[in-house]
Amino acid sequence: MLNSLSEVTALRVDNHRLYSATHDEIKAGATTDIYFINTRDVLASVDKLNTEVTAEIFTRTRGMFAGLSEVLELLRDAPVKIEALPEGEYFSPKEVVMRIRGPYGAFGYHETNLLGILSSSCAWATAARECVEAAGDKTVLSFGARHLHPAIAPVMEAMAVKFGGCAGASCILGAKLCGREPLGTIPHAAVLIMGDTVKLAQAYDEVMPPEVGRTFLVDTFKDECEESLRLAEALGDKLGAIRLDTPSERGGVTVELVREVRYRLNQAGFNHVRIVVSGGLNPGRIRELAQAGADVFGVGSYIAHAVPMDMTMDLKEVDGKPVAKRGRLPGIIENNRLVVVKNRI
């Protein structure tokens, strides 16, 4: 770990690399704010670095708690006791979501990392759960990896699935981190290269194993209803779903479009074919499209672009005595919903 300013000054990084931090760099404190390392130098000089403290973390908004597993990994070897809300539970504004007790030097330098993990994880999980609740008994998939830097896309997908309630994720690593197989269809690029949606579907059906679902985009070349019926007639019972991803330049995926596709498929005897919709979805649109007949929702930007929550970590006890900066209440704030998730080692 980085113990002092001199070690930070001596740190060298390879310029020929992705800008994302490695796990070792995060654990060493290389992604924290420099003033926490300055603080280590100052406190160590007066023999106060390992003063016993109690820190509490809260935010000013309502949300779903997530990110605890990464916090525990970050502080796995630290001699601290941690109490926290169970992941997947909602918290209220200003409710204490985590409490850490132990020597300041064991975890204080990780304040930036702790808050960063929680602020993003809670935001992603909350946004995903909003979509899942809007969909009711229908399926929501997380398709947000393309909206984020690849270093953090798997984290977002994992939070959306594990705690947001999404049924799956398209990002390979994100899904694997949840113990799932990645889910997804096939891109417009493949249809464009093949030159015909049905030909692409037939080639896909020949190559892909039976357990892989047959879901195809129907907005590349022809009217969505026409293309859906062509696919259904060509593949029959093998066709699991069609996907509507009509761009905004053509009006986007509308309630009327979903309703018509559903009606025409049913009329032709293809009631088994489900409708997957994607493209700029949010909870409001999900509710409308679900009522119109959509079965599955691929949500990307709404989850990926969720605004990180402003998490705050305050010291509330120093050497067992209540403390607080002005405007905050000294001493711990009781919350009987916290459970012990790590004991001091």
Side-chain angles (χ1 to χ4, degrees), residues 51-280:
T51 299
E52 286 288 321
V53 300
T54 301
E56 292 185 335
I57 298 174
F58 70 94
T59 186
R60 291 177 172 79
T61 57
R62 180 180 183 270
M64 172 164 288
F65 189 60
L68 174 61
S69 56
E70 286 198 300
V71 169
L72 291 177
E73 176 60 27
L74 191 67
L75 299 180
R76 179 171 43 158
D77 298 325
V80 297
K81 177 181 179 180
I82 302 176
E83 301 166 84
L85 287 179
E87 288 184 291
E89 288 196 8
Y90 277 108
F91 53 79
S92 303
K94 290 195 173 184
E95 180 178 7
V96 175
V97 298
M98 183 178 293
R99 182 180 296 127
I100 306 174
R101 302 176 189 266
Y104 182 77
F107 72 94
Y109 68 102
H110 270 315
E111 179 173 337
T112 305
N113 299 326
L114 296 171
L115 299 183
I117 288 171
L118 295 178
S119 64
S120 290
S121 297
C122 292
W124 291 324
T126 302
R129 181 56 64 91
E130 289 171 355
C131 294
V132 169
E133 291 175 350
D137 60 354
K138 299 189 175 183
T139 302
V140 176
L141 304 176
S142 181
F143 283 0
R146 66 178 55 201
H147 299 285
L148 295 172
H149 190 287
I152 59 172
V155 189
M156 178 276 299
E157 298 272 51
M159 295 302 104
V161 172
K162 292 181 71 172
F163 308 112
C166 290
S170 60
C171 174
I172 295 171
L173 183 56
K176 293 286 188 178
L177 288 170
C178 301
R180 313 267 185 106
E181 290 302 312
L183 299 173
T185 58
I186 200 163
H188 289 96
V191 185
L192 290 167
I193 292 170
M194 187 65 73
D196 180 80
T197 302
V198 171
K199 289 181 179 178
L200 179 280
Q202 291 170 331
Y204 185 97
D205 184 49
E206 287 292 325
V207 172
M208 301 302 289
E211 63 270 18
V212 176
R214 270 59 176 162
T215 300
F216 302 101
L217 290 156
V218 294
D219 53 64
T220 310
F221 291 120
K222 300 179 182 293
D223 172 80
E224 291 88 347
C225 291
E226 178 186 353
E227 206 76 296
S228 296
L229 291 174
R230 288 182 70 225
L231 280 170
E233 289 164 359
L235 295 185
D237 291 341
K238 290 183 179 180
L239 181 63
I242 57 91
R243 178 180 164 198
L244 299 172
D245 191 51
T246 307
S248 59
E249 291 86 347
R250 299 288 292 179
V253 180
T254 65
V255 168
E256 292 77 14
L257 176 60
V258 171
R259 188 176 290 123
E260 183 181 356
V261 171
R262 180 73 276 160
Y263 181 89
R264 289 183 181 275
L265 283 170
N266 290 351
Q267 187 180 53
F270 300 115
N271 306 64
H272 71 281
V273 177
R274 299 200 299 168
I275 297 176
V276 180
V277 296
S278 57

